[in-house]
Amino acid sequence: MSSAVQQSYRICEQIGKGRFGVVYKCYSSETGEEFAVKSINKILISDDSIDRQCLYNEAKIMQLVSPHPHIVRIAHVYEDDVYLDIVLELCCSSDLFQRLESRGVFTESDALAVMVPLMEAIAHCHKLSIAHRDIKPDNILFNDRNVLKLADFGSAHCFHNGELMNGVVGTPFYVAPEVLAGKKYDEKVDIWSAGVILYVMLAGVPPFYGESTAEIFDAVIRGNLRFPSRIFQAVSPAAKGLIRGMICKDVSRRFSAQQVLRHPWITNNDETKKVAVLA
């Protein structure tokens, strides 16, 4: 860890670990405010690797999208010859993946409470010409007040003037079919991924499944979206209609982030329900 970050923050216990870095809880020496610091050892990453590009990309893009109430706030970036240290808002509650594991299936009200802030964060990114490209439950965090925060912009990409993107990024169950097909694609890959999250919350299972990564990818590329009656019998037609508009293979017909936020399943629900999902 760089000496600069240690001078500005009191470093405490480790709260996470990745391939190249460790995440610690820390406190501002000046204000006492809690943060997380992701400390990356640059020596472990080759100069020409995609990992190095993603690490620098994350800090740059998070500065572009901040501040937003539903995106993890970046507080400071420190760098020396060995370390890249990114100080972030602390989100110490369970993430959406953990909540899905413990709860199985969400009510529509609780799913709504996730989708509204998530789609507001995605819409904000898209308005700034930034695609996240790895929307998944693990990257949906909650702070100590249970407010949803979109995190991990390492795969994000800036697009301008209708520019299309390429490159296979994302996570098997949640990645859009056009990414896997090797086609150029736009920011609507995030809408597909968010639609899969909505499906998983309401069904307890992903819409496209396989016993291996290759089988999952094949199922995603086929994109045969189904709503088994034994699973979806209690799910409203409006919710299923929204999912169809998000998990749509035809990108020209797939909803935009703003169309999702204007969908009746969201707009016709009680405003008081649009709060962070219960722990």
Side-chain angles (χ1 to χ4, degrees):
M1 187 176 294
S2 66
S3 58
V5 75
Q6 295 184 69
Q7 289 171 5
S8 300
Y9 295 87
R10 179 164 60 87
I11 310 302
C12 299
E13 71 270 20
Q14 178 180 320
I15 56 175
K17 188 174 183 180
R19 279 191 300 162
F20 304 113
V22 180
V23 181
Y24 298 94
K25 187 175 182 179
C26 65
Y27 295 86
S28 168
S29 301
E30 182 178 344
T31 67
E33 185 180 357
E34 290 181 316
F35 291 92
V37 56
K38 181 187 289 187
S39 184
I40 297 115
N41 187 334
K42 298 189 296 183
I43 295 174
L44 300 177
I45 312 167
S46 63
D47 288 337
D48 59 349
S49 74
I50 192 169
D51 296 298
R52 179 173 288 264
Q53 178 184 341
C54 287
L55 291 172
Y56 284 100
N57 198 47
E58 179 176 18
K60 174 186 172 184
I61 286 182
M62 290 193 75
Q63 288 171 324
L64 290 174
V65 298
S66 295
H68 186 275
H70 297 298
I71 294 175
V72 170
R73 177 169 59 93
I74 186 167
H76 213 114
V77 178
Y78 298 89
E79 185 175 10
D80 61 17
D81 291 341
V82 179
Y83 292 102
L84 173 65
D85 298 319
I86 306 173
V87 181
L88 302 161
E89 174 182 5
L90 180 66
C91 293
C92 54
S93 187
S94 54
D95 61 35
L96 183 59
F97 179 81
Q98 293 166 325
R99 296 180 184 205
L100 283 165
E101 278 201 321
S102 64
R103 297 181 58 176
V105 177
F106 283 24
T107 65
E108 288 193 42
S109 293
D110 282 347
L112 175 73
V114 171
M115 289 304 295
V116 170
L118 173 61
M119 292 311 306
E120 287 176 350
I122 293 172
H124 174 72
C125 293
H126 291 182
K127 186 178 180 181
L128 295 173
S129 298
I130 293 169
H132 186 283
R133 301 202 301 176
D134 196 18
I135 302 289
K136 60 181 178 180
D138 318 51
N139 290 337
I140 299 170
L141 311 182
F142 297 87
N143 67 12
D144 59 356
R145 296 182 305 281
N146 213 33
V147 176
L148 182 148
K149 302 282 182 172
L150 180 60
D152 196 347
F153 284 77
S155 297
H157 186 81
C158 296
F159 60 92
H160 301 285
N161 302 319
E163 170 199 5
L164 297 178
M165 294 164 273
N166 55 33
V168 178
V169 294
T171 301
F173 287 118
Y174 301 93
V175 66
E178 61 267 28
V179 176
L180 298 176
K183 299 177 181 177
K184 288 186 176 292
Y185 51 84
D186 64 17
E187 71 276 12
K188 285 187 178 180
V189 296
D190 290 342
I191 308 303
W192 175 284
S193 302
V196 173
I197 288 174
L198 177 56
Y199 187 107
V200 171
M201 286 193 291
L202 296 178
V205 293
F208 311 112
Y209 182 77
E211 295 294 335
S212 65
T213 299
E215 288 182 5
I216 295 168
F217 285 171
D218 286 343
V220 169
I221 289 172
R222 287 196 302 273
N224 186 13
L225 181 63
R226 295 178 178 177
F227 297 97
S229 57
R230 63 183 177 82
I231 295 175
F232 280 89
Q233 58 182 348
V235 176
S236 69
K240 288 185 278 191
L242 176 56
I243 291 171
R244 288 190 188 95
M246 298 176 76
I247 307 178
C248 178
K249 279 192 70 177
D250 183 346
V251 180
S252 67
R253 293 175 54 236
R254 188 182 305 163
F255 287 170
S256 67
Q258 289 297 337
Q259 285 176 305
V260 173
L261 288 169
R262 292 195 300 265
H263 190 273
W265 184 73
I266 288 177
T267 59
N268 290 349
N269 278 283
D270 187 345
E271 289 289 330
T272 62
K273 295 176 183 176
K274 297 177 185 179
V275 295
V277 66
L278 296 175

